[in-house]
Amino acid sequence: MKKFTWGTGIFLFLVLFLAASAVFIVFASKQQVNLVHKDYYEKGVDYSEQMRVIERSKPFNHSITINTDNDFLNVAIASELAAKIDSGSMYLYRPSDKEQDITASVSAHSSSVQFNKADLINGRYILKFSWYTDGTKYEVSRPVNVQ
């Protein structure tokens, strides 16, 4: 019977370490990567503008109401805000799965938007409502739980 030496121990350690590394690399490469933005550098460059948009949008934080019924997720826009909207969009995104994101356009003076619940899965979404008034951008975000 062959004796277990320190050289054999080092060799076994290296083989096990490389095998574990290979298994981890294969596991990591199969994981789905869901980023909120495709280009974080671009978002970082525009961050000061985004901060100005958020600051000027603070008076409108409570101007949208979200209700759910059996078939639809209804987003109601306050009438004083709806009268000021030139154009806009509602982006309902799911942080855990970008394949479930939905975008709806908001026409001028529109007071509500409906999302079909058949297109949504149960869980947490974030509603980002952005609009333009006289060429100035505004944006309000709100968490939404779909059940």
Side-chain angles (χ1 to χ4, degrees), residues 102-126:
I102 297 175
T103 302
S105 62
V106 178
S107 58
H109 310 296
S110 178
S111 63
S112 68
V113 174
Q114 289 185 332
F115 294 97
N116 192 346
K117 285 179 83 173
D119 298 335
L120 305 172
I121 60 173
N122 291 344
R124 182 174 185 262
Y125 286 85
I126 296 177

Side-chain angles (χ1 to χ4, degrees), residues 28-125:
S29 66
K30 290 184 178 182
Q31 297 302 308
Q32 186 178 10
V33 177
N34 283 315
L35 300 176
V36 175
H37 302 288
K38 290 182 182 179
D39 189 0
Y40 280 97
Y41 177 76
E42 243 350 274
K43 284 303 256 186
V45 168
D46 296 335
Y47 190 69
S48 59
E49 176 60 29
Q50 182 65 24
M51 292 302 294
R52 286 192 288 274
V53 168
I54 291 170
E55 189 63 34
R56 73 173 154 253
S57 302
K58 280 186 180 180
F60 303 108
N61 278 339
H62 300 290
S63 296
I64 60 171
T65 308
I66 302 168
N67 297 313
T68 58
D69 59 20
N70 291 337
D71 299 326
F72 294 100
L73 175 75
N74 302 309
V75 181
I77 304 169
S79 58
E80 60 271 1
L81 176 58
K84 298 177 183 179
I85 296 174
D86 295 334
S87 66
S89 66
M90 288 199 182
Y91 179 48
L92 193 62
Y93 79 93
R94 187 169 172 86
S96 62
D97 186 5
K98 67 181 175 184
E99 301 297 322
Q100 299 296 326
D101 295 355
I102 297 175
T103 302
S105 62
V106 178
S107 58
H109 310 296
S110 178
S111 63
S112 68
V113 174
Q114 289 185 332
F115 294 97
N116 192 346
K117 285 179 83 173
D119 298 335
L120 305 172
I121 60 173
N122 291 344
R124 182 174 185 262
Y125 286 85

